[in-house]
Amino acid sequence: MSEFDRSLSTTPRLHVQGALGAGALITLDQPQSHYLGSVMRRQTGDMVRLFNGRDGEWAARVASVAKKAVTLVAEWQSAHQEQVPDLWLCAAPLKKGRIDWLVEKACELGVARLQLVTTQRTVVDKPNLDRLGAHLVEAAEQSGRTAVPELPAPLLLEQLLKNWPGGRSLIFADESGGTPLAEAKAPAPAAILIGPEGGFTVQEREAIRAHPAAVPISLGPRILRADTAALAAIAVWQAINGQG
């Protein structure tokens, strides 16, 4: 086992934009350079793990350290690009703190896309996508994922239903009841739809249930907070579909 393999848990891991491959040179942006050079105290010759969401994870060696720019050279692939079931999470934005936690944990659990959905009872109408995107990157870095979930612009619930892609199941966590998720037939590609903290209105619930892709499910007898419901549904779906 190499020294790099033995120290894998303490080796910094960063998400980068550039292409990765043997010999690829990567120059970090200023915040990442500061983190690696000033916070982590990495020096020329030290190893770092890099991923970009496309080329797997690569072991890279620090080639040079400057105050505003650290350059690394990729040496070998330390992990292949992940292959996970195609699962989206469609959720109403929550208050700051709870939405940050939800975004982080959804990434850790392996969702491919996080689609924010504005409903009649949504409490946050302008979520900070830059902040949430940064949380996704951090979660991917910390959890060992080689892909960062997509984070498109929020959609109105009506837009989401109208433009729903064919062939993708819409797993609807309906507080009024449905098939237990463990028994529902909704393999990938699929999406889980979770309502706002105040729940869907009667009209919204009827519109969702009427959609041909909808699979109404129950998460048990207790009323769960929106973030708890989302993570419970993701975990159960992943377990059923080979990611447990």
Side-chain angles (χ1 to χ4, degrees):
M1 180 181 291
S2 69
E3 182 180 350
F4 175 76
D5 291 329
R6 287 194 297 271
S7 62
L8 194 64
S9 62
T10 59
T11 303
R13 189 170 188 271
L14 298 175
H15 177 261
V16 296
Q17 297 297 328
L20 293 172
L25 288 174
I26 301 294
T27 299
L28 301 180
D29 59 22
Q30 196 279 329
Q32 286 183 319
S33 294
H34 172 77
Y35 168 76
L36 199 62
S38 300
V39 179
M40 299 303 295
R41 303 289 185 183
R42 279 338 191 238
Q43 301 176 352
T44 301
D46 288 343
M47 300 302 295
V48 180
R49 292 182 290 162
L50 303 177
F51 71 104
N52 60 6
R54 305 180 301 276
D55 302 318
E57 179 188 277
W58 283 77
R61 193 175 301 276
V62 178
S64 65
V65 179
K67 187 174 183 180
K68 294 185 178 181
V70 172
T71 299
L72 308 103
V73 58
E75 295 194 348
W76 74 88
Q77 191 177 53
S78 48
H80 294 293
Q81 183 64 26
E82 67 183 69
Q83 298 294 322
V84 296
D86 184 0
L87 177 66
W88 297 358
L89 172 62
C90 301
L94 307 175
K95 295 176 182 177
K96 185 178 179 181
R98 303 208 71 86
I99 186 63
D100 296 342
W101 184 80
L102 173 59
V103 163
E104 175 185 307
K105 301 310 174 186
C107 177
E108 290 179 14
L109 288 171
V111 300
R113 182 184 182 102
L114 175 60
Q115 177 64 67
L116 299 178
V117 183
T118 302
T119 70
Q120 292 184 37
R121 293 174 178 165
T122 296
V123 295
V124 178
D125 58 356
K126 293 182 179 179
N128 188 326
L129 295 186
D130 289 338
R131 190 188 78 246
L132 296 180
H135 281 304
L136 287 174
V137 168
E138 281 186 25
E141 290 174 343
Q142 295 297 320
S143 65
R145 289 198 63 176
T146 54
V148 178
E150 298 175 9
L151 181 65
L155 292 174
L156 296 173
L157 177 61
E158 295 82 354
Q159 293 175 305
L160 182 79
L161 297 178
K162 181 179 179 180
N163 300 308
W164 192 254
R168 182 177 295 274
S169 300
L170 179 59
I171 302 169
F172 171 37
D174 189 353
E175 60 188 27
S176 67
T179 303
L181 180 52
E183 301 173 11
K185 305 298 183 181
I192 294 169
L193 175 61
I194 302 292
E197 291 163 301
F200 290 108
T201 65
V202 173
Q203 294 78 11
E204 288 174 331
R205 187 178 297 114
E206 291 176 350
I208 298 167
R209 278 183 167 268
H211 196 282
V215 181
I217 59 100
S218 169
L219 292 174
R222 287 165 291 280
I223 297 176
L224 304 178
R225 294 186 67 132
D227 46 355
T228 305
L231 298 183
I234 294 169
V236 172
W237 189 94
Q238 292 283 34
I240 294 171
N241 289 277
Q243 290 289 311

